[in-house]
Amino acid sequence: MSENESAGEKTEQPTEKRLRDAREQGNLPRSRELGTAAVFGAGVLGMMACGGMLARGATGWMHQAFSPEPTLRQNPAELLGWFGELLLRLLLVIAPLVVICLLASFIAPLVMGGLRWSSKAMMPDPKRLSPAAGLKRLYGPEAIAEFTKSLLRVAFVGTAAGMVVVSGIDMLRGLLHQSLENAVIHGLGFTLKLLLATAAAMALLAAIDAPYQRWNWMRKLKMTREELRRELKESDGSPEVKGRIRQLQHQMANRRMMEAVPTADVVVVNPTHYAVALKYEGSKMGAPTVVALGVDETALRIRQVADGNRVAIVSAPPLARALYREGELGKEIPVRLYSAVAQVLSYVYQLRAWRTGPMPGAPHVAVDEYPAGGTP
């Protein structure tokens, strides 16, 4: 398989950025089976928990509905208000069950991907109006999956309901010979069993559908190798751009360093390959500070700037190499080089004091180029 072919296959797991972008666009895994099972199961459990209260409220409502006030016959215009009152009372009766089901409707989104509001998902998408996309949904893999779920739904619910009906067929026949009160009680008990069995079947189907929907969602968000490389390049920055930024930063650092060379007291050189500019202000610094350092072309530029600004240049090859290796730009020199640098600065100060007199000879700086245990 060629590189182009492998790059076109979605074999890479989605990155965190791709997942985050999908969530911001409202693209989250959703399981209708889980939502239906949660609402239906919560409704059944709510009926079990609030059955007595619902029964009393329903009894009172039915009594009011079937026993209207006699005055309504003489004032038909009040019928509309009476119907409105009946409707309001019915809503109050079923309000606990409605609230339970409403709260249960949030279970599926919380389990699958969390509650997220996305304005992008509300925007019209021309792709949804495409006939080709519609045919793909009708005859594609998604349609096959939905058809399979429909078959499973019928099989699970039908099997669960059938088992309850078969096990309670004798009890149902016996309702004909019972009193109305007992028949209602036993009938409601049977209905509750049937509802519980149906809820269990729907929960089983949801337990299959929810992992599938999450897997399918991740599958759709998979990336090709080219997409992955492009995203990494966008997030980390193009290598060319990063290289250019580093180049500009290096140039700016060199410019600032060269601007500091005229303020130096001395430039210690190799004499050709290394150059380190030092500055010392006794009232402000605890030790001499490195204001510029470099090798080869940078060292040549430092010497040129120093020579053009009449900064003393002292040739001390071991010291220059040691300062370049151990010194840091903008920081004080290492403690072990204090003595050697002091000799150089003493010579420079003598030069300044004896400009009109005989020039002193250059000092012989004795310094161990490498620290203890170091190697060339």
Side-chain angles (χ1 to χ4, degrees):
M1 182 178 294
S2 66
E3 178 67 23
N4 292 335
E5 292 176 344
S6 62
E9 296 179 358
K10 294 187 175 184
T11 58
E12 307 300 323
Q13 293 297 325
T15 61
E16 285 298 324
K17 181 180 181 300
R18 189 176 181 90
L19 295 175
R20 184 172 60 254
D21 292 343
R23 294 188 183 100
E24 290 177 354
Q25 295 173 1
N27 182 8
L28 293 169
R30 290 288 181 253
S31 172
R32 286 182 292 180
E33 305 301 330
L34 179 59
T36 303
V39 174
F40 186 83
V44 174
L45 296 177
M47 290 179 62
M48 294 176 60
C50 307
M53 182 178 63
L54 291 173
R56 289 190 297 271
T59 302
W61 182 84
M62 293 178 66
H63 178 75
Q64 182 181 5
F66 293 114
S67 303
E69 295 292 335
T71 57
L72 293 175
R73 299 176 183 178
Q74 287 78 27
N75 300 297
E78 296 180 1
L79 284 174
L80 184 60
W82 181 70
F83 280 122
E85 184 181 349
L86 279 180
L87 180 59
L88 180 59
R89 185 168 182 181
L90 178 61
L91 292 177
L92 292 175
V93 170
I94 64 174
L97 191 60
V98 172
V99 171
I100 292 174
C101 293
L102 181 62
L103 293 177
S105 66
F106 292 99
I107 293 177
L110 287 173
V111 171
M112 295 300 295
L115 296 175
R116 290 179 179 270
W117 170 261
S118 175
S119 59
K120 296 181 180 179
M122 304 295 293
M123 300 298 293
D125 187 0
K127 295 181 180 179
R128 298 178 182 176
L129 302 177
S130 171
L135 290 175
K136 186 177 180 180
R137 288 193 296 269
L138 288 175
Y139 300 103
E142 299 294 330
I144 296 176
E146 291 297 325
F147 179 71
T148 304
K149 284 196 299 181
S150 299
L151 294 179
L152 290 176
R153 188 183 304 113
V154 172
F156 287 3
V157 175
T159 300
M163 293 174 62
V164 174
V165 171
V166 170
S167 63
I169 190 68
D170 294 334
M171 185 275 294
L172 292 175
R173 291 173 179 171
L175 295 179
L176 298 174
H177 308 288
Q178 298 179 10
S179 63
L180 179 60
E181 182 178 355
N182 291 335
V184 169
I185 294 174
H186 292 155
L188 289 176
F190 173 80
T191 303
L192 182 61
K193 289 181 181 179
L194 184 62
L195 291 175
L196 286 173
T198 303
M202 296 176 69
L204 179 60
L205 181 59
I208 298 174
D209 182 62
Y212 166 76
Q213 293 297 339
R214 180 173 289 277
W215 170 84
N216 192 39
W217 179 69
M218 292 290 292
R219 180 184 64 83
K220 291 180 179 179
L221 291 178
K222 278 187 174 182
M223 309 170 67
T224 64
R225 293 180 181 176
E226 180 61 29
E227 289 175 336
L228 184 60
R229 283 194 292 265
R230 190 183 309 117
E231 182 173 301
L232 291 176
K233 182 182 292 186
E234 291 175 356
S235 60
D236 296 339
S238 172
E240 294 81 5
V241 175
K242 292 168 65 177
R244 179 58 179 166
I245 292 175
R246 286 195 296 267
Q247 182 181 2
L248 292 175
Q249 290 175 341
H250 182 68
Q251 292 176 356
M252 293 175 62
N254 277 344
R255 188 179 301 113
R256 289 194 298 267
M257 188 171 65
M258 294 304 172
E259 292 174 353
V261 171
T263 66
D265 293 313
V266 64
V267 175
V268 183
V269 297
N270 189 32
T272 56
H273 297 291
Y274 292 84
V276 181
L278 303 175
K279 181 178 181 179
Y280 179 61
E281 296 180 7
S283 60
K284 299 179 180 180
M285 301 177 182
T289 301
V290 178
V291 296
L293 74 167
V295 294
D296 298 333
E297 293 183 3
T298 304
L300 176 61
R301 180 61 179 158
I302 291 174
R303 289 196 300 271
Q304 291 174 347
V305 174
D307 188 56
N309 289 272
R310 303 185 66 182
V311 177
I313 300 176
V314 176
S315 177
L319 178 60
R321 290 191 292 266
L323 285 170
Y324 179 81
R325 188 177 299 109
E326 302 175 38
E328 295 184 40
L329 189 64
K331 295 186 178 181
E332 297 180 352
I333 63 173
V335 176
R336 78 178 193 89
L337 300 177
Y338 278 7
S339 177
V341 172
Q343 297 179 52
V344 172
L345 289 176
S346 176
Y347 169 69
V348 171
Y349 295 152
Q350 291 181 45
L351 282 179
R352 292 179 182 176
W354 295 336
R355 286 187 186 276
T356 58
M359 179 179 295
H364 175 70
V365 181
V367 60
D368 185 3
E369 183 176 348
Y370 300 97
T375 57

